[in-house]
Amino acid sequence: MFRGVVPGRPSHCWWQAIFWSLLVLAIGCANARAAAPQQAALIPQWEPQAQFAGYYVALAKGFYAAAGVDMRILRGGPGAPPSELLRQGKAQFGTFFLPTAIRERADGFLLVNLAQFVPHSNQLLVARKADGIRGPADLDGRRVSLWGPEFRLAPEALFRKHGIRVAEAPQGFTVDLFLRGGVAACSAMRYNEYHALLNSGLDPDELTVFSMAEYGLDLPEDGLYALESTWKDNPGLCRAVTQASIAGWRYAFAHPEEALDIVMEHVTAAHLPTNRMHQQWMLEHLRQAMTGSGEPLGDLPRARYETAAEALFRAGLIPAIPAYEAFRVDAR
Amino acid sequence: MSTRADHRPGRGLGFRLALCILTGAAAIFAGAFAYSYHSAKTMLLAEVRENAMNLIRGAAARLEVPLAGVERVPRYLALRLGDAMPDAAGIEGRLRDFLTANPDVYGAAAAFAPGAFHPGLSRFAPYFCRKDGRPVRVSLGYEEHYDLENWYLVPRVLGRPVWSEPYFDESGGDIVMTTFSVPIFRTEGARREFLGVVSADVSLEWLQGQVAKINMYRSGYAFLLSKNGVFVSHPDSRHIMRESIFSLAEQAGSPELRALGQAMTRGGEGFSRLPDVVLGQPAWLAYAPMPTTGWSMGVIVPEAELFAGLRRLGREVAAIAAGGFALLLGVIALIAATITRPLTRLAATAAEIAKGNLDTPVPATPRRDEVGRLSRSFEQMRLALRDYIADLTATTKAKERLESELKIARNIQMSFLPKHFPPFPEITAFELHAALEPAWEVGGDLYDFFLTSDGRLLFLVGDVSGKGVPAALFMAVTKTLIKGNADQETDPAAILGKVNRELCVDNDAMLFVTMFLGILDFSTGELAFSNAGHNPPARIAPDGATSWLTLPRGVFLGIMEDAVYTTSRVNLAPGETLVAFTDGVTEAMDPGQRLFGADRLAETLARAAGRSPESLVDAIMDAVRAFAGQAEQADDITVMTLLFRGNALP
């Protein structure tokens, strides 16, 4: 029997306990005017995993409840695109990559950014060196698996930038198609699929990794969004959810083992074929991605927004750049 | 000098013998045992490897039989659907029949590409699975995006049948499963059109039941890995679908385990040592590919069980060896005792003999070995020692008697010498003193003085060659002869000549005497003297100046019958002192073998000038003694001093 090694949890210091108690109290007080808890639903853009640890932690630790929100976190995935659920009113909050959200807004789907959590791009295309792929040009004419419309802007921009035509294949929940040789390259998040590839027995030196950020497409990723109408109708709810989510992220990074326990509960409930080591890798990479820039958690500086929007505009993916003021609301 | 430690009884011969033999035997045994154990282990490992590989190949092949059975119908169905598309009821009937006929299959689906089943119908995917043992049509639960599921997507893109990675089917199946999917193609000439996928689900629970039947040793277990290294089957159900061999390797930080995972997922076959982190103890892994599914089967066996037989054998051999060593120890102890018992007795006897009990007989032994020879030698030594000591005792007694006699002889000899001083208290014209310090043995120095018949003082100092009784007798004879001849002769040379001749008669021992003989007419101070090979006396003038008296030539007495002696004459001044002595003074040696010598004597005399004859004798004797120190006195020392006062007759 393979022996499981349970990593030790960091001990909780008394001052940390006080800090978090005060934080929960502060969120609660700020929203004390909301007499009865308001119901809300949040749809992450993918299956339960550490990519959304902050939200799961905020739910599990009662940060949403303390802020007067009776939050439900829906199960994301290919069958539940946030744009659709928001449009249908099945969810009030959703997570989007920034470019996706900009394009949605440019296309007339009026999303507002409540908090920007991942300030840089973690998106990759991964190919095998053994297939002779060393640079973007080597992808020309190859079959490449891409995710759905929400996550394909950066690769598409890369292809356009290098004048490459690839044969597209849909990318499902996993990288199996790539592992079985069905495609020459596949989409990957550095914190997820890339590690899954390594954990399928491929060594890093066997892979050619195209990092979107290194190809001038450092487009910010995960952010918390609501419909503009939701924001206008109920800014208090939006603020409460945003603040509790930020608190959730802070807590998750401060207590990674506890956060992993919470994530694994969701993973287990969803019967997902993943493991704690993978989620640990993901949480650690997200921590680096979210806290590495030194910017306040949840911030979306105008410059970063405009750089991303201009990249989309130049690539011809949006007809015009939506105004920052309309896109970004101060819900923090 | 012996210390206390030397007397402490040391480890016995028997102990040392046992230690040496047992150590040697143990070293040989340990070497042979280690070699045989290692060889046996290598052989056993090779055999285990062979067995394990056979077992795992057999198990993989056996497991592939039902899986190959699972494959048969979807392949057939896909082929038939590609040829002719039946209606929905027809497809559902076939799927239901498939499930009914194949108890190993959990569920079956036919999923079509948009428009492939019926133009205008974007998606159509009837799915049947086993509920309470009966095939029931259920909803997939994700009809709108099944084209993104691996079981559909991968065979579609690859264009060939595929076994999926394990996954949880939460719609119809609600179980962890793996799916075999066959793409449906319609072939029209060279063109191949993708129509959809026929799939068959296999419950991993069922698969696990099959794998669990594979046994190897007591706690060895089998597991299956998917192409991606994910556990398809494992005794710990938490691993299935969730963990991969690589995630465990990452968790354990074990590159070895990762390398093993790569070997397994890349279709390798082998028998390897598993990193200890996996089981927490040394273990071995046999693995073989399953060609049908592309999976890999592994069997893990703890090394302890693998080598349990060898370990048991090792323990038995060690126990036998321990018994053997105990026996060997007993035998050695016995041998050592038979060897050392007579030796111990011999040692006790020797100790007794060493105390002087030479009559203690050495125990007789009938043995003819070294110990027997030693005993007999010891007995001979004892007897020889006893005889020798008896001889020695007799000799010692004889020697003691001789020494006693010598002592008496010496006393007699010494009694010949005049010892009363002052010898002529009534005569004031001179003062005389003499001393003889004998060496240990009976020696040959002599001195004498007496008044001659004509009223002069005759005095002499002599030294007989040799030592012992002959010298003593010779001296006595010489003294007697001098005395006798002095009655007849008044001239020193004449006296010496006569004495010489008489001594030469029958002097077979060839002894001789040196002698200074003087006759002092103390009324005038005239000294007539003659010399027979003696050293010259010293003169101390009244003013203290010292000089040596010039002696006439003359050979020793007793050697040459016709030797001629001459008389010389000098006048002593009043207050002048004559010091006659034997060579015992000048040839006295210090511990460094240096001679006292004439110069030192002259210095002594110069320092002691003016003293009385007795005091002068003492001064010379003291000086010689001080010079000789610890050195043994080799010769008699004789000093005679004569102070001539002048004609102060009463």
Side-chain angles (χ1 to χ4, degrees), chain B residues 271-286:
Chain B
F271 184 73
S272 301
R273 177 81 193 266
L274 206 59
D276 289 356
V277 288
V278 176
L279 279 197
Q281 58 171 309
W284 290 80
L285 167 70

Side-chain angles (χ1 to χ4, degrees), chain B residues 228-356:
Chain B
N228 293 356
V230 175
F231 287 100
V232 178
S233 171
H234 191 278
D236 183 353
S237 58
R238 284 172 305 180
H239 282 15
I240 295 172
M241 175 190 88
R242 299 281 285 275
E243 298 287 353
S244 77
I245 193 166
F246 302 108
S247 71
L248 295 188
E250 187 182 9
Q251 192 174 346
S254 169
E256 298 86 359
L257 187 58
R258 183 177 168 85
L260 267 180
Q262 287 173 331
M264 288 180 78
T265 54
R266 289 169 190 182
E269 182 181 273
F271 184 73
S272 301
R273 177 81 193 266
L274 206 59
D276 289 356
V277 288
V278 176
L279 279 197
Q281 58 171 309
W284 290 80
L285 167 70
Y287 56 94
M290 296 174 63
T292 305
T293 49
W295 298 344
S296 179
M297 177 182 277
V299 172
I300 291 179
V301 185
E303 194 175 284
E305 280 182 37
L306 223 53
F307 298 123
L310 186 63
R311 296 236 167 95
R312 196 172 54 245
L313 182 66
R315 280 197 297 275
E316 284 165 7
V317 169
I320 291 169
F325 278 119
L327 196 66
L328 191 58
L329 184 64
V331 170
I332 293 168
L334 201 67
I335 293 172
T338 55
I339 292 172
T340 56
R341 201 175 298 122
L343 283 178
T344 311
R345 283 207 302 271
L346 199 58
T349 309
E352 202 58 31
I353 289 169
K355 284 180 200 162

Side-chain angles (χ1 to χ4, degrees), chain A residues 1-6 75 78-79 143 170-174 176-177 179-182 195 198-203 206 264 267-268 270-277 281, chain B residues 145 148-150 153-154 156-158 160 162-166 168 170 221 227-228 231 234 236 239 241-244 246-248 250-251 258 262 266 277-280 300:
Chain A
M1 188 179 296
F2 281 89
R3 208 170 47 146
V5 179
V6 179
R75 185 173 154 189
R143 189 144 58 178
Q171 182 157 334
F173 304 89
T174 67
D176 279 5
L177 198 54
L179 286 169
R180 305 240 179 174
H195 184 249
L198 300 187
N199 255 355
S200 298
L202 289 169
D203 291 330
E206 291 180 87
M264 287 311 288
V267 164
T268 305
H271 300 287
L272 296 179
T274 181
N275 52 65
R276 191 181 178 94
M277 283 312 294
W281 161 284
Chain B
H145 65 83
L148 284 178
E149 294 287 333
N150 281 333
L153 180 62
V154 177
R156 183 196 140 190
V157 176
L158 291 179
R160 59 178 166 79
V162 170
W163 279 94
S164 79
E165 289 291 302
F168 184 84
E170 54 189 316
Y221 66 82
K227 271 192 89 69
N228 293 356
F231 287 100
H234 191 278
D236 183 353
H239 282 15
M241 175 190 88
R242 299 281 285 275
E243 298 287 353
S244 77
F246 302 108
S247 71
L248 295 188
E250 187 182 9
Q251 192 174 346
R258 183 177 168 85
Q262 287 173 331
R266 289 169 190 182
V277 288
V278 176
L279 279 197
I300 291 179

Side-chain angles (χ1 to χ4, degrees), chain B residues 128 156 345 350 377 379 451 498 501:
Chain B
F128 282 81
R156 183 196 140 190
R345 283 207 302 271
S377 300
E379 177 63 5
L451 297 176
K498 282 182 115 177
R501 278 192 295 279

